[in-house]
Amino acid sequence: MYCIPEEPDFGDGHAAERAVWEKLRACLPDDVILAHSVQVRNGSAEHEIDLLVLWPGVGLAAIEVKGGQVGIERGQWYQSDRSGRHNIQSPVAQSQGSLHAFKSWIGNQIGTALTSRFAYLVCLPYTTVPADWTLSGCPRSLILDSGDLQSPAEKIRSAIETEGGGASSLAPAYLHRITARLEGHLEPATNPDLNPRELEDAQNHLTERQKVLLTSTRALPRIRFTGGAGSGKTWLAVEKARQLTRQGLRVGLFCYNKGLGQHLQNQVGTWRSAKPAFTGEFHEYVRSLGVPDGSGQTYFDEEMPRLLQQKAAGLEYGQKFDAVIVDEAQDFAPLWWEALLACLKDPSAGQVYAFMDDRQDVYRRWGGATADLVHGPTADLVPIHIDDNLRNTRRIADTFKVFAGEHFTPRGGTGLPVRRVECATEDAADVAGDCMDALIVEGWESNQIALLTTRHRHPVHQDYFDRDATQEYWRDFHANEAEFYGHVLGFKGLERSVVVLCVDGFKEQDRAAEQLYVGLSRARCLLVVVGDSALLSDAGGPEFAQAFAGAEHWEPSTPSLP
């Protein structure tokens, strides 16, 4: 039997309709069409046919279903169910009205009046109606009670043939024309796979649900939130800053990367009420206190935080923080932590919130041992684990799951297959550029795409670097007006709908797995990995190679120029 829809969603409170639907589907002939909840608008009046039977060679039946115990007292219909007894509109009148509305509507739609036999019926699946019962305008033959549902097919056919108004049976050709209107086929104008807005809205909704973590831990003043890529840590860090500033506290919101720092500033910039006293990069905060710039990694990792500690000792009480929040906290060297805590009004008991992923320690500032990340200055922070991945589709998350830990749980939609493009390492940048062009031809907007390299800067990225235009570079990224070219190390904490990961080698092989993890986890909807399979397997290990083997092989192609 052909059903419209194939599997109706009856919802709560429609158990009676479901029961009758199942009975009819089981006993009506295969060539009958059964439709559920047919909505009809006739002028300004709205009608609904609970169940519509279209029987070729016989006719049509509009069936109104009423559950519970149904009765009539002094002409008033009533229904008794678990909520008690209450008056209802005459189901006979409802069925009659919906029948006439449907006849009028379908005639206007098709351009030919419906002259086939058409009966209105009332089905009372939990009520017994005596065989000799009758009502003005409704003979007993138009009622299906609990006993009639044992074999309703012949009852419906008989009602159509003896009580249905109309001059003829339902012709198959007219039936098909009605069916087309009932199905209401609608083909989206664009490929839904190329429009990530709905998927990303759902992912954003899931991320906002993480707020419960902040609510449930609000009594804890010092916490280390640890979670895998895409678990909503940055969102939580910003939300925590919002909550604390609304309490009138002086808050510092910190990170290490310039791109992430600009993102945090953009988020805070939209607030109308109180804002953090400082938002952005740790080293920018140090400079804002008058600590001079230096050169070399040793200066930034050791000398600069030592100078900050000296500055902190001389800060007025009102210039210090009530709370500090650090996003991507695993990027902070131990001495940075010590210097930052010195800027608290109460270094030993002030509020501290670290949001981190100990498996993304790409800078190895803690000596390369992940266990060290939870010791030292952050040892007294209460550990809270965030296991759900909310940013990525499941297909993307499954690709890097091996790096994220045993408790990592993808929660996003299934999404598009991950694509893999095989090429030699030295050709990866050129091939990745071809991928960008092909994706735009497919229908992706350029500003949805980021190309990330694992070793060398892409030429577009290098041009910004050579011009010393770092601020312009990140301003262009956050303007979200064009495609973006970056390196995985600079893209930590950031994301785009589509990421083309250009695996053009690794500067240090012992850090390759962490960099691969970062790169694979930046895409929300579509991930394209470009590079040599042997290099990828060597960097990610056998478990990653096995997971990545399920990716879809892709050869990007773009239209040739005339």
Side-chain angles (χ1 to χ4, degrees):
M1 177 187 293
Y2 194 81
C3 297
I4 304 173
E6 184 177 359
E7 295 291 340
D9 180 10
F10 290 95
D12 295 337
H14 296 277
E17 288 180 28
R18 179 191 295 275
V20 177
W21 169 276
E22 295 294 346
K23 287 282 188 181
L24 298 187
R25 188 166 63 173
C27 73
L28 289 171
D30 290 342
D31 59 347
V32 171
I33 292 177
L34 179 62
H36 171 255
S37 187
V38 178
Q39 307 289 327
V40 184
R41 185 179 179 90
N42 187 20
S44 61
E46 297 178 350
H47 302 265
E48 179 188 14
I49 301 176
D50 290 338
L51 300 175
L52 178 64
V53 176
L54 301 103
W55 198 325
V58 179
L60 302 88
I63 304 176
E64 177 71 22
V65 180
K66 292 296 181 186
Q69 295 291 314
V70 178
I72 306 175
E73 187 175 283
R74 296 182 181 179
Q76 174 64 59
W77 288 79
Y78 65 87
Q79 185 179 38
S80 298
D81 51 27
R82 287 177 295 180
S83 62
R85 173 172 162 166
H86 48 275
N87 293 339
I88 59 173
Q89 182 182 352
S90 165
V92 176
Q94 285 183 277
S95 192
Q96 286 177 321
S98 63
L99 178 151
H100 293 302
F102 184 83
K103 286 184 67 173
S104 175
W105 173 76
I106 198 64
N108 292 332
Q109 288 289 308
I110 296 177
T112 305
L114 174 60
T115 60
S116 304
R117 291 188 290 266
F118 199 167
Y120 58 86
L121 289 91
V122 173
C123 183
L124 310 174
Y126 308 118
T127 300
T128 300
V129 180
D132 60 351
W133 177 88
T134 187
L135 177 70
S136 175
C138 183
R140 175 65 178 81
S141 56
L142 294 182
I143 299 291
L144 299 174
D145 72 352
S146 57
D148 296 326
L149 283 181
Q150 301 305 312
S151 54
E154 285 308 312
K155 297 279 186 179
I156 295 172
R157 179 170 186 149
S158 176
I160 294 173
E161 292 179 335
T162 60
E163 303 292 345
S168 61
S169 62
L170 180 58
Y174 199 93
L175 168 62
H176 293 314
R177 296 172 72 187
I178 296 176
T179 303
R181 298 305 193 280
L182 292 178
E183 290 183 308
H185 182 70
L186 176 64
E187 186 71 32
T190 59
N191 186 340
D193 289 340
L194 300 184
N195 187 347
R197 285 180 296 177
E198 182 176 0
L199 177 61
E200 295 190 359
D201 285 346
Q203 290 167 333
N204 288 336
H205 175 68
L206 286 172
T207 300
E208 291 184 11
R209 284 170 48 187
Q210 294 284 60
K211 189 186 294 186
V212 69
L213 289 172
L214 301 182
T215 302
S216 60
T217 60
R218 62 179 179 270
L220 301 175
R222 299 167 80 92
I223 305 175
R224 182 176 66 248
F225 292 92
T226 302
S231 56
K233 297 185 298 297
T234 295
W235 189 92
L236 286 168
V238 173
E239 182 61 24
K240 188 65 179 180
R242 184 201 300 269
Q243 293 178 1
L244 295 177
T245 54
R246 285 179 174 176
Q247 296 173 22
L249 301 182
R250 196 167 193 275
V251 178
L253 176 57
F254 298 92
C255 68
Y256 168 66
N257 275 1
K258 291 183 181 297
L260 180 56
Q262 183 63 58
H263 171 73
L264 297 177
Q265 291 171 358
N266 290 344
Q267 295 297 302
V268 168
T270 63
W271 299 356
R272 295 182 179 180
S273 56
K275 300 178 182 180
F278 179 86
T279 300
E281 302 167 69
F282 168 76
H283 291 100
E284 284 302 315
Y285 171 68
V286 182
R287 294 184 185 99
S288 72
L289 296 180
V291 174
D293 243 341
S295 60
Q297 199 62 45
T298 300
Y299 177 81
F300 288 103
D301 286 353
E302 299 177 11
E303 183 63 15
M304 204 171 192
R306 185 184 64 79
L307 293 174
L308 173 60
Q309 278 191 290
Q310 293 178 358
K311 281 280 185 181
L315 287 176
E316 295 183 8
Y317 185 78
Q319 291 180 284
K320 293 187 176 184
F321 297 112
D322 297 295
V324 295
I325 301 169
V326 180
D327 192 23
E328 298 289 349
Q330 74 279 355
D331 294 345
F332 269 50
L335 292 178
W336 301 3
W337 270 107
E338 293 176 10
L340 190 58
L341 295 181
C343 297
L344 283 166
K345 292 177 180 177
D346 186 343
S348 62
Q351 297 189 52
V352 180
Y353 303 95
F355 295 84
M356 61 195 299
D357 181 354
D358 53 14
R359 294 172 181 268
Q360 288 192 63
D361 183 25
V362 295
Y363 298 109
R364 298 295 177 90
R365 294 199 173 99
W366 296 72
T370 56
D372 292 341
L373 288 166
V374 297
H375 298 301
T378 63
D380 67 334
L381 305 185
V382 176
I384 299 293
H385 295 281
I386 315 172
D387 298 324
D388 292 348
N389 170 271
L390 310 174
R391 173 199 297 141
N392 315 99
T393 66
R394 295 195 181 191
R395 282 172 164 158
I396 295 173
D398 285 342
T399 302
F400 63 82
K401 187 175 181 180
V402 61
F403 302 120
E406 60 178 319
H407 300 294
F408 177 85
T409 306
R411 297 294 188 190
T414 302
L416 296 166
V418 173
R419 303 183 191 181
R420 58 185 301 179
V421 181
E422 185 70 26
C423 70
T425 301
E426 59 270 22
D427 299 328
D430 290 337
V431 175
D434 293 340
C435 291
M436 294 272 279
D437 295 337
L439 289 167
I440 292 172
V441 170
E442 279 187 17
W444 295 96
E445 298 293 336
S446 59
N447 64 353
Q448 293 178 303
I449 309 171
L451 188 157
L452 304 179
T453 57
T454 57
R455 182 169 185 176
H456 304 287
R457 293 187 181 91
H458 185 276
V460 174
H461 184 189
Q462 186 66 45
D463 177 63
Y464 280 99
F465 182 79
D466 292 342
R467 292 188 287 112
D468 195 23
T470 301
Q471 288 187 334
E472 177 188 350
Y473 174 71
W474 287 112
R475 185 171 60 248
D476 289 349
F477 167 74
H478 291 290
N480 200 33
E481 295 175 348
E483 65 270 23
F484 177 77
Y485 299 86
H487 190 281
V488 292
L489 295 183
F491 211 66
K492 283 168 53 61
L494 303 176
E495 59 194 46
R496 273 218 170 164
S497 297
V498 183
V499 167
V500 178
L501 181 59
C502 173
V503 184
D504 59 339
F506 300 96
K507 186 176 181 180
E508 300 174 43
Q509 195 63 26
D510 65 338
R511 296 169 60 188
E514 288 93 339
Q515 292 187 38
L516 198 56
Y517 175 28
V518 173
L520 294 168
S521 60
R522 299 303 101 193
R524 291 171 67 100
C525 297
L526 176 62
L527 173 65
V528 180
V529 183
V530 180
D532 178 71
S533 293
L535 176 63
L536 283 162
S537 297
D538 188 42
E543 290 186 61
F544 164 72
Q546 183 177 1
F548 190 56
E552 175 184 88
H553 286 275
W554 185 47
E555 293 184 8
S557 60
T558 56
S560 57
L561 296 174

